[in-house]
């Protein structure tokens, strides 16, 4: 396996996503997959969505027109990259889906510390 490629994947091609402590992929394993032609491709191990009950909710928020989950995470959790915690706390996988319906009530979890089990199942 090419070390440069593994390094690129681990660093999320410059975004730092798997290496930032706020990332849902922080600490995720990098695994190889061998294509039929023998070429190895690196990928991040699958993340299993945790039970929403592991999050302590701080408040309920009613979605208004134009809301985006990254902006809500920045406002209520202090970091836009923590949008995934709001998804998890609401049993959601698509951030846009959580804010698509005006008037929908979503839970905003406590941001102080990521609960055990939130990452990688």
């Amino acid at each position: 396996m090419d070390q440069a490629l593994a390094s690129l994947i681990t660093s999320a091609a410059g975004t730092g996503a798997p290496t930032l402590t706020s990332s849902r992929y922080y600490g995720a394993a990098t695994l190889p997959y061998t294509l039929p032609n023998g070429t190895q491709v690196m990928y991040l191990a699958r993340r299993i969505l945790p039970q929403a009950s592991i999050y302590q909710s701080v408040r309920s928020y009613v979605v208004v027109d134009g809301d985006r989950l990254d902006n809500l995470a920045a406002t209520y959790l202090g970091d836009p990259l923590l949008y995934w915690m709001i998804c998890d706390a609401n049993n959601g996988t698509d951030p846009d889906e959580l804010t698509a319906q005006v008037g929908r009530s979503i839970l905003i979890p406590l941001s102080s510390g990521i609960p055990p089990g939130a990452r990688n199942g």
Side-chain angles (χ1 to χ4, degrees):
M1 173 61 192
D2 180 41
Q3 189 58 32
L5 180 59
S7 177
L8 183 66
I9 290 170
T10 303
S11 69
T15 66
T19 58
L20 292 175
T21 56
S22 60
S23 172
R24 65 179 143 187
Y25 295 104
Y26 179 76
T30 306
L31 303 171
Y33 174 75
T34 304
L35 298 174
N37 68 2
T39 303
Q40 277 196 335
V41 178
M42 297 298 291
Y43 69 97
L44 290 174
R46 182 174 148 193
R47 176 181 180 262
I48 305 299
L49 195 65
Q51 295 292 318
S53 61
I54 70 169
Y55 290 96
Q56 181 179 0
S57 294
V58 172
R59 66 180 307 146
S60 182
Y61 176 81
V62 177
V63 174
V64 298
D65 191 36
D67 272 340
R68 287 189 0 213
L69 220 51
D70 60 337
N71 290 336
L72 294 176
T75 300
Y76 295 107
L77 304 178
D79 184 347
L81 292 178
L82 292 177
Y83 72 90
W84 61 270
M85 289 179 72
I86 299 173
C87 279
D88 285 359
N90 290 277
N91 290 317
T93 57
D94 182 355
D96 294 332
E97 186 179 297
L98 284 178
T99 56
Q101 182 182 353
V102 173
R104 178 182 181 170
S105 183
I106 58 175
L107 299 175
I108 306 293
L110 185 65
S111 66
S112 64
I114 297 167
R119 290 193 178 104
N120 307 314

